[in-house]
Amino acid sequence: MRLHPIMFFSVLLLTVAGCKKTAPGLQVTIAATNLSNVSYGTSSQQNMDIFLPENRSVSATKVMIMIHGGGWTTGDKADFAQFVDTMKRRLPDFAIFNINYRLSASPINLFPTQENDVKAAVQFILGKKGEYLISDKYVLLGASAGGHLAQLQAFKNSAVKPKAVVSFFGICDMADMYNNPVGGNSLISLSVAQAVGKTPAQDPAIYATSSPLNYITASSVVPTIFLHGGADPLVRPTQSTIAKDKVLSVGAPAQYVLYPAGGHGDWDNITYADAFNKVEAFIRLYVL
């Protein structure tokens, strides 16, 4: 297997450093490393950007995995550039993995392709612990469809459970998303059906198995913070509140943050600053 040139150079440096004796009083420093478009599958859409902090280690370095939104049919990890920069400043000791996944484009890559890709990406990351010098203590953060995928991965698919989930205006009940669109907007229902490939009436099972709400149990759930705009035109705030209530009902920590005037991610700087203050505090409480 060929290593990416940057990764080869990093491994070479680590190997050389490991072979040398460190002079008394000197500290070996592992440099921060950024890697772009690292593949975790065979599709060109199955890739991630990786931001590894300096002085990282398998025992101490926590991980944040970011999942972009876009209704499962659009979007890109580049949409999370500001999220990455923000979390690098706030949690500089975290390794950040900003992932892409195959987008649903009927008739190909229908759901659960996106769910499966997130699962594969998480397995890839955890399988590289020794190479990247990271721990298996990780946080999942997603927005909109990414918030849905973060919850689904955490509650349903994680063999190694995350330490926390951060869901920005994510979906927890797919059938409700289709049957009760905001403002009765049939285009929302249509977009859900296009991503899944069927309506809830045509295939209730896929909607049930794609809904994080159905996998919240005392043994599956982890501390979760839900953030939502009260004026969200695409995802009802109840998608966050019902998940929060169920998490609390099974005895796990949960926090719900509502911004009454907030839309679907088009929040002002003050709102986002407050949101990230709360996210950082939540992670420091339950992860660090």
Side-chain angles (χ1 to χ4, degrees), residues 151 155 172 213 216 221 224-227 237-257:
Q151 293 179 61
F155 307 151
C172 75
L213 187 67
I216 297 175
V221 78
T224 306
I225 180 170
F226 304 88
L227 305 102
T238 52
Q239 287 281 341
S240 288
T241 58
I242 60 175
K244 178 264 299 182
D245 290 343
K246 191 168 184 181
V247 171
L248 290 174
S249 74
V250 298
Q255 182 178 349
Y256 173 63
V257 182

PDB file of all heavy atoms in Angstrom, residues 151 155 172 213 216 221 224-227 237-257:
ATOM      1  N   GLN A 151     -26.502  11.422  14.811  1.00  0.00           N
ATOM      2  CA  GLN A 151     -27.323  10.711  15.789  1.00  0.00           C
ATOM      3  C   GLN A 151     -27.474   9.239  15.420  1.00  0.00           C
ATOM      4  O   GLN A 151     -27.386   8.349  16.281  1.00  0.00           O
ATOM      5  CB  GLN A 151     -28.709  11.350  15.871  1.00  0.00           C
ATOM      6  CG  GLN A 151     -28.747  12.750  16.444  1.00  0.00           C
ATOM      7  CD  GLN A 151     -30.159  13.298  16.446  1.00  0.00           C
ATOM      8  OE1 GLN A 151     -31.047  12.743  17.091  1.00  0.00           O
ATOM      9  NE2 GLN A 151     -30.392  14.370  15.707  1.00  0.00           N
ATOM     10  N   PHE A 155     -26.297   6.326  17.963  1.00  0.00           N
ATOM     11  CA  PHE A 155     -27.284   5.518  18.676  1.00  0.00           C
ATOM     12  C   PHE A 155     -27.464   4.117  18.084  1.00  0.00           C
ATOM     13  O   PHE A 155     -27.823   3.179  18.786  1.00  0.00           O
ATOM     14  CB  PHE A 155     -28.637   6.231  18.691  1.00  0.00           C
ATOM     15  CG  PHE A 155     -28.586   7.640  19.214  1.00  0.00           C
ATOM     16  CD1 PHE A 155     -29.485   8.591  18.771  1.00  0.00           C
ATOM     17  CD2 PHE A 155     -27.634   8.025  20.146  1.00  0.00           C
ATOM     18  CE1 PHE A 155     -29.449   9.903  19.245  1.00  0.00           C
ATOM     19  CE2 PHE A 155     -27.580   9.332  20.632  1.00  0.00           C
ATOM     20  CZ  PHE A 155     -28.489  10.272  20.179  1.00  0.00           C
ATOM     21  N   CYS A 172     -34.550  13.509  13.686  1.00  0.00           N
ATOM     22  CA  CYS A 172     -34.524  12.256  14.447  1.00  0.00           C
ATOM     23  C   CYS A 172     -35.627  11.295  14.018  1.00  0.00           C
ATOM     24  O   CYS A 172     -35.550  10.115  14.306  1.00  0.00           O
ATOM     25  CB  CYS A 172     -34.621  12.532  15.938  1.00  0.00           C
ATOM     26  SG  CYS A 172     -36.271  12.996  16.508  1.00  0.00           S
ATOM     27  N   LEU A 213     -34.405   8.293  16.472  1.00  0.00           N
ATOM     28  CA  LEU A 213     -35.307   8.227  17.614  1.00  0.00           C
ATOM     29  C   LEU A 213     -35.577   6.791  18.030  1.00  0.00           C
ATOM     30  O   LEU A 213     -35.724   6.487  19.222  1.00  0.00           O
ATOM     31  CB  LEU A 213     -36.619   8.933  17.278  1.00  0.00           C
ATOM     32  CG  LEU A 213     -37.624   9.101  18.417  1.00  0.00           C
ATOM     33  CD1 LEU A 213     -37.087  10.064  19.468  1.00  0.00           C
ATOM     34  CD2 LEU A 213     -38.971   9.584  17.880  1.00  0.00           C
ATOM     35  N   ILE A 216     -32.750   5.130  20.457  1.00  0.00           N
ATOM     36  CA  ILE A 216     -32.365   5.733  21.733  1.00  0.00           C
ATOM     37  C   ILE A 216     -32.801   4.811  22.867  1.00  0.00           C
ATOM     38  O   ILE A 216     -33.989   4.672  23.157  1.00  0.00           O
ATOM     39  CB  ILE A 216     -32.996   7.128  21.905  1.00  0.00           C
ATOM     40  CG1 ILE A 216     -32.472   8.080  20.825  1.00  0.00           C
ATOM     41  CG2 ILE A 216     -32.709   7.689  23.292  1.00  0.00           C
ATOM     42  CD1 ILE A 216     -33.127   9.451  20.838  1.00  0.00           C
ATOM     43  N   VAL A 221     -27.474   5.195  24.043  1.00  0.00           N
ATOM     44  CA  VAL A 221     -27.398   6.638  23.927  1.00  0.00           C
ATOM     45  C   VAL A 221     -26.179   7.193  24.653  1.00  0.00           C
ATOM     46  O   VAL A 221     -25.629   6.581  25.570  1.00  0.00           O
ATOM     47  CB  VAL A 221     -28.696   7.276  24.477  1.00  0.00           C
ATOM     48  CG1 VAL A 221     -28.684   7.298  25.998  1.00  0.00           C
ATOM     49  CG2 VAL A 221     -28.920   8.663  23.903  1.00  0.00           C
ATOM     50  N   THR A 224     -25.845  14.143  24.572  1.00  0.00           N
ATOM     51  CA  THR A 224     -26.161  14.790  23.295  1.00  0.00           C
ATOM     52  C   THR A 224     -26.664  16.199  23.533  1.00  0.00           C
ATOM     53  O   THR A 224     -27.500  16.435  24.403  1.00  0.00           O
ATOM     54  CB  THR A 224     -27.230  13.985  22.531  1.00  0.00           C
ATOM     55  OG1 THR A 224     -26.799  12.624  22.395  1.00  0.00           O
ATOM     56  CG2 THR A 224     -27.448  14.564  21.143  1.00  0.00           C
ATOM     57  N   ILE A 225     -26.165  17.130  22.727  1.00  0.00           N
ATOM     58  CA  ILE A 225     -26.654  18.503  22.749  1.00  0.00           C
ATOM     59  C   ILE A 225     -27.330  18.797  21.423  1.00  0.00           C
ATOM     60  O   ILE A 225     -26.786  18.506  20.351  1.00  0.00           O
ATOM     61  CB  ILE A 225     -25.527  19.513  23.049  1.00  0.00           C
ATOM     62  CG1 ILE A 225     -26.091  20.943  23.070  1.00  0.00           C
ATOM     63  CG2 ILE A 225     -24.356  19.384  22.092  1.00  0.00           C
ATOM     64  CD1 ILE A 225     -25.104  21.982  23.595  1.00  0.00           C
ATOM     65  N   PHE A 226     -28.541  19.319  21.505  1.00  0.00           N
ATOM     66  CA  PHE A 226     -29.346  19.654  20.332  1.00  0.00           C
ATOM     67  C   PHE A 226     -29.488  21.175  20.252  1.00  0.00           C
ATOM     68  O   PHE A 226     -29.901  21.807  21.229  1.00  0.00           O
ATOM     69  CB  PHE A 226     -30.741  19.028  20.435  1.00  0.00           C
ATOM     70  CG  PHE A 226     -30.750  17.527  20.620  1.00  0.00           C
ATOM     71  CD1 PHE A 226     -30.694  16.976  21.894  1.00  0.00           C
ATOM     72  CD2 PHE A 226     -30.815  16.674  19.534  1.00  0.00           C
ATOM     73  CE1 PHE A 226     -30.716  15.603  22.077  1.00  0.00           C
ATOM     74  CE2 PHE A 226     -30.837  15.305  19.701  1.00  0.00           C
ATOM     75  CZ  PHE A 226     -30.785  14.757  20.984  1.00  0.00           C
ATOM     76  N   LEU A 227     -29.187  21.753  19.092  1.00  0.00           N
ATOM     77  CA  LEU A 227     -29.319  23.189  18.886  1.00  0.00           C
ATOM     78  C   LEU A 227     -30.237  23.433  17.700  1.00  0.00           C
ATOM     79  O   LEU A 227     -30.074  22.803  16.637  1.00  0.00           O
ATOM     80  CB  LEU A 227     -27.957  23.836  18.655  1.00  0.00           C
ATOM     81  CG  LEU A 227     -26.916  23.566  19.753  1.00  0.00           C
ATOM     82  CD1 LEU A 227     -25.923  22.490  19.305  1.00  0.00           C
ATOM     83  CD2 LEU A 227     -26.164  24.829  20.134  1.00  0.00           C
ATOM     84  N   PRO A 237     -38.367  22.357  15.095  1.00  0.00           N
ATOM     85  CA  PRO A 237     -37.650  22.222  16.365  1.00  0.00           C
ATOM     86  C   PRO A 237     -38.063  20.975  17.150  1.00  0.00           C
ATOM     87  O   PRO A 237     -37.272  20.452  17.939  1.00  0.00           O
ATOM     88  CB  PRO A 237     -38.030  23.502  17.116  1.00  0.00           C
ATOM     89  CG  PRO A 237     -38.325  24.502  16.040  1.00  0.00           C
ATOM     90  CD  PRO A 237     -38.970  23.695  14.942  1.00  0.00           C
ATOM     91  N   THR A 238     -39.275  20.489  16.915  1.00  0.00           N
ATOM     92  CA  THR A 238     -39.710  19.277  17.605  1.00  0.00           C
ATOM     93  C   THR A 238     -38.842  18.072  17.246  1.00  0.00           C
ATOM     94  O   THR A 238     -38.787  17.100  18.014  1.00  0.00           O
ATOM     95  CB  THR A 238     -41.176  18.950  17.290  1.00  0.00           C
ATOM     96  OG1 THR A 238     -41.368  18.935  15.863  1.00  0.00           O
ATOM     97  CG2 THR A 238     -42.103  19.979  17.907  1.00  0.00           C
ATOM     98  N   GLN A 239     -38.161  18.109  16.099  1.00  0.00           N
ATOM     99  CA  GLN A 239     -37.242  17.026  15.761  1.00  0.00           C
ATOM    100  C   GLN A 239     -36.111  16.933  16.785  1.00  0.00           C
ATOM    101  O   GLN A 239     -35.580  15.855  17.051  1.00  0.00           O
ATOM    102  CB  GLN A 239     -36.671  17.231  14.350  1.00  0.00           C
ATOM    103  CG  GLN A 239     -37.641  16.978  13.224  1.00  0.00           C
ATOM    104  CD  GLN A 239     -37.831  15.492  12.929  1.00  0.00           C
ATOM    105  OE1 GLN A 239     -37.015  14.649  13.303  1.00  0.00           O
ATOM    106  NE2 GLN A 239     -38.919  15.153  12.251  1.00  0.00           N
ATOM    107  N   SER A 240     -35.753  18.073  17.360  1.00  0.00           N
ATOM    108  CA  SER A 240     -34.733  18.082  18.410  1.00  0.00           C
ATOM    109  C   SER A 240     -35.333  17.823  19.786  1.00  0.00           C
ATOM    110  O   SER A 240     -34.744  17.105  20.611  1.00  0.00           O
ATOM    111  CB  SER A 240     -33.982  19.418  18.421  1.00  0.00           C
ATOM    112  OG  SER A 240     -33.123  19.540  17.307  1.00  0.00           O
ATOM    113  N   THR A 241     -36.501  18.388  20.047  1.00  0.00           N
ATOM    114  CA  THR A 241     -37.060  18.256  21.401  1.00  0.00           C
ATOM    115  C   THR A 241     -37.493  16.825  21.716  1.00  0.00           C
ATOM    116  O   THR A 241     -37.316  16.352  22.839  1.00  0.00           O
ATOM    117  CB  THR A 241     -38.241  19.213  21.608  1.00  0.00           C
ATOM    118  OG1 THR A 241     -39.263  18.949  20.638  1.00  0.00           O
ATOM    119  CG2 THR A 241     -37.791  20.664  21.499  1.00  0.00           C
ATOM    120  N   ILE A 242     -38.067  16.130  20.722  1.00  0.00           N
ATOM    121  CA  ILE A 242     -38.504  14.762  21.021  1.00  0.00           C
ATOM    122  C   ILE A 242     -37.301  13.835  21.225  1.00  0.00           C
ATOM    123  O   ILE A 242     -37.355  12.906  22.041  1.00  0.00           O
ATOM    124  CB  ILE A 242     -39.456  14.199  19.946  1.00  0.00           C
ATOM    125  CG1 ILE A 242     -38.800  14.156  18.564  1.00  0.00           C
ATOM    126  CG2 ILE A 242     -40.748  14.977  19.906  1.00  0.00           C
ATOM    127  CD1 ILE A 242     -39.660  13.509  17.499  1.00  0.00           C
ATOM    128  N   ALA A 243     -36.215  14.097  20.506  1.00  0.00           N
ATOM    129  CA  ALA A 243     -35.006  13.301  20.720  1.00  0.00           C
ATOM    130  C   ALA A 243     -34.406  13.617  22.082  1.00  0.00           C
ATOM    131  O   ALA A 243     -34.006  12.705  22.825  1.00  0.00           O
ATOM    132  CB  ALA A 243     -33.992  13.582  19.618  1.00  0.00           C
ATOM    133  N   LYS A 244     -34.366  14.907  22.418  1.00  0.00           N
ATOM    134  CA  LYS A 244     -33.835  15.305  23.731  1.00  0.00           C
ATOM    135  C   LYS A 244     -34.628  14.658  24.857  1.00  0.00           C
ATOM    136  O   LYS A 244     -34.064  14.123  25.820  1.00  0.00           O
ATOM    137  CB  LYS A 244     -33.858  16.825  23.854  1.00  0.00           C
ATOM    138  CG  LYS A 244     -33.382  17.377  25.188  1.00  0.00           C
ATOM    139  CD  LYS A 244     -34.529  17.673  26.154  1.00  0.00           C
ATOM    140  CE  LYS A 244     -35.499  18.703  25.635  1.00  0.00           C
ATOM    141  NZ  LYS A 244     -36.577  18.996  26.612  1.00  0.00           N
ATOM    142  N   ASP A 245     -35.949  14.700  24.737  1.00  0.00           N
ATOM    143  CA  ASP A 245     -36.799  14.124  25.783  1.00  0.00           C
ATOM    144  C   ASP A 245     -36.566  12.624  25.939  1.00  0.00           C
ATOM    145  O   ASP A 245     -36.548  12.102  27.059  1.00  0.00           O
ATOM    146  CB  ASP A 245     -38.274  14.391  25.480  1.00  0.00           C
ATOM    147  CG  ASP A 245     -38.657  15.849  25.646  1.00  0.00           C
ATOM    148  OD1 ASP A 245     -37.893  16.597  26.299  1.00  0.00           O
ATOM    149  OD2 ASP A 245     -39.714  16.250  25.111  1.00  0.00           O
ATOM    150  N   LYS A 246     -36.377  11.935  24.818  1.00  0.00           N
ATOM    151  CA  LYS A 246     -36.172  10.489  24.903  1.00  0.00           C
ATOM    152  C   LYS A 246     -34.797  10.161  25.481  1.00  0.00           C
ATOM    153  O   LYS A 246     -34.654   9.206  26.247  1.00  0.00           O
ATOM    154  CB  LYS A 246     -36.353   9.834  23.539  1.00  0.00           C
ATOM    155  CG  LYS A 246     -36.423   8.306  23.634  1.00  0.00           C
ATOM    156  CD  LYS A 246     -36.896   7.652  22.352  1.00  0.00           C
ATOM    157  CE  LYS A 246     -37.034   6.149  22.529  1.00  0.00           C
ATOM    158  NZ  LYS A 246     -37.473   5.473  21.273  1.00  0.00           N
ATOM    159  N   VAL A 247     -33.792  10.951  25.121  1.00  0.00           N
ATOM    160  CA  VAL A 247     -32.467  10.747  25.705  1.00  0.00           C
ATOM    161  C   VAL A 247     -32.531  10.899  27.221  1.00  0.00           C
ATOM    162  O   VAL A 247     -32.008  10.075  27.976  1.00  0.00           O
ATOM    163  CB  VAL A 247     -31.445  11.735  25.104  1.00  0.00           C
ATOM    164  CG1 VAL A 247     -30.124  11.661  25.869  1.00  0.00           C
ATOM    165  CG2 VAL A 247     -31.203  11.428  23.625  1.00  0.00           C
ATOM    166  N   LEU A 248     -33.195  11.953  27.670  1.00  0.00           N
ATOM    167  CA  LEU A 248     -33.336  12.167  29.112  1.00  0.00           C
ATOM    168  C   LEU A 248     -34.140  11.044  29.762  1.00  0.00           C
ATOM    169  O   LEU A 248     -33.849  10.635  30.892  1.00  0.00           O
ATOM    170  CB  LEU A 248     -34.019  13.516  29.374  1.00  0.00           C
ATOM    171  CG  LEU A 248     -33.198  14.769  29.064  1.00  0.00           C
ATOM    172  CD1 LEU A 248     -34.058  16.009  29.231  1.00  0.00           C
ATOM    173  CD2 LEU A 248     -31.962  14.852  29.956  1.00  0.00           C
ATOM    174  N   SER A 249     -35.143  10.533  29.055  1.00  0.00           N
ATOM    175  CA  SER A 249     -36.017   9.509  29.639  1.00  0.00           C
ATOM    176  C   SER A 249     -35.294   8.203  29.911  1.00  0.00           C
ATOM    177  O   SER A 249     -35.730   7.422  30.767  1.00  0.00           O
ATOM    178  CB  SER A 249     -37.219   9.247  28.715  1.00  0.00           C
ATOM    179  OG  SER A 249     -36.845   8.495  27.571  1.00  0.00           O
ATOM    180  N   VAL A 250     -34.204   7.947  29.175  1.00  0.00           N
ATOM    181  CA  VAL A 250     -33.457   6.707  29.403  1.00  0.00           C
ATOM    182  C   VAL A 250     -32.249   6.955  30.311  1.00  0.00           C
ATOM    183  O   VAL A 250     -31.407   6.077  30.486  1.00  0.00           O
ATOM    184  CB  VAL A 250     -33.016   6.053  28.072  1.00  0.00           C
ATOM    185  CG1 VAL A 250     -34.229   5.674  27.243  1.00  0.00           C
ATOM    186  CG2 VAL A 250     -32.072   6.960  27.295  1.00  0.00           C
ATOM    187  N   GLY A 251     -32.169   8.153  30.865  1.00  0.00           N
ATOM    188  CA  GLY A 251     -31.168   8.413  31.888  1.00  0.00           C
ATOM    189  C   GLY A 251     -29.844   8.959  31.407  1.00  0.00           C
ATOM    190  O   GLY A 251     -28.867   8.965  32.164  1.00  0.00           O
ATOM    191  N   ALA A 252     -29.787   9.438  30.172  1.00  0.00           N
ATOM    192  CA  ALA A 252     -28.541  10.003  29.658  1.00  0.00           C
ATOM    193  C   ALA A 252     -28.615  11.529  29.656  1.00  0.00           C
ATOM    194  O   ALA A 252     -29.699  12.106  29.581  1.00  0.00           O
ATOM    195  CB  ALA A 252     -28.267   9.488  28.245  1.00  0.00           C
ATOM    196  N   PRO A 253     -27.465  12.208  29.709  1.00  0.00           N
ATOM    197  CA  PRO A 253     -27.470  13.669  29.681  1.00  0.00           C
ATOM    198  C   PRO A 253     -27.882  14.199  28.310  1.00  0.00           C
ATOM    199  O   PRO A 253     -27.498  13.645  27.269  1.00  0.00           O
ATOM    200  CB  PRO A 253     -26.017  14.037  29.981  1.00  0.00           C
ATOM    201  CG  PRO A 253     -25.398  12.809  30.561  1.00  0.00           C
ATOM    202  CD  PRO A 253     -26.113  11.663  29.922  1.00  0.00           C
ATOM    203  N   ALA A 254     -28.658  15.260  28.321  1.00  0.00           N
ATOM    204  CA  ALA A 254     -29.055  15.922  27.075  1.00  0.00           C
ATOM    205  C   ALA A 254     -29.289  17.393  27.356  1.00  0.00           C
ATOM    206  O   ALA A 254     -29.713  17.770  28.448  1.00  0.00           O
ATOM    207  CB  ALA A 254     -30.311  15.291  26.484  1.00  0.00           C
ATOM    208  N   GLN A 255     -29.012  18.204  26.365  1.00  0.00           N
ATOM    209  CA  GLN A 255     -29.250  19.644  26.459  1.00  0.00           C
ATOM    210  C   GLN A 255     -29.903  20.119  25.171  1.00  0.00           C
ATOM    211  O   GLN A 255     -29.521  19.698  24.073  1.00  0.00           O
ATOM    212  CB  GLN A 255     -27.933  20.387  26.693  1.00  0.00           C
ATOM    213  CG  GLN A 255     -28.090  21.893  26.851  1.00  0.00           C
ATOM    214  CD  GLN A 255     -26.760  22.588  27.132  1.00  0.00           C
ATOM    215  OE1 GLN A 255     -25.751  21.934  27.400  1.00  0.00           O
ATOM    216  NE2 GLN A 255     -26.750  23.908  27.065  1.00  0.00           N
ATOM    217  N   TYR A 256     -30.897  20.969  25.310  1.00  0.00           N
ATOM    218  CA  TYR A 256     -31.589  21.534  24.150  1.00  0.00           C
ATOM    219  C   TYR A 256     -31.427  23.045  24.192  1.00  0.00           C
ATOM    220  O   TYR A 256     -31.732  23.680  25.207  1.00  0.00           O
ATOM    221  CB  TYR A 256     -33.063  21.149  24.174  1.00  0.00           C
ATOM    222  CG  TYR A 256     -33.911  21.826  23.116  1.00  0.00           C
ATOM    223  CD1 TYR A 256     -33.670  21.610  21.767  1.00  0.00           C
ATOM    224  CD2 TYR A 256     -34.958  22.684  23.475  1.00  0.00           C
ATOM    225  CE1 TYR A 256     -34.449  22.218  20.796  1.00  0.00           C
ATOM    226  CE2 TYR A 256     -35.747  23.291  22.501  1.00  0.00           C
ATOM    227  CZ  TYR A 256     -35.481  23.062  21.168  1.00  0.00           C
ATOM    228  OH  TYR A 256     -36.255  23.665  20.214  1.00  0.00           O
ATOM    229  N   VAL A 257     -30.959  23.597  23.082  1.00  0.00           N
ATOM    230  CA  VAL A 257     -30.754  25.041  22.977  1.00  0.00           C
ATOM    231  C   VAL A 257     -31.608  25.555  21.831  1.00  0.00           C
ATOM    232  O   VAL A 257     -31.436  25.133  20.677  1.00  0.00           O
ATOM    233  CB  VAL A 257     -29.275  25.380  22.716  1.00  0.00           C
ATOM    234  CG1 VAL A 257     -29.083  26.899  22.666  1.00  0.00           C
ATOM    235  CG2 VAL A 257     -28.374  24.748  23.771  1.00  0.00           C
TER     236      VAL A 257
END
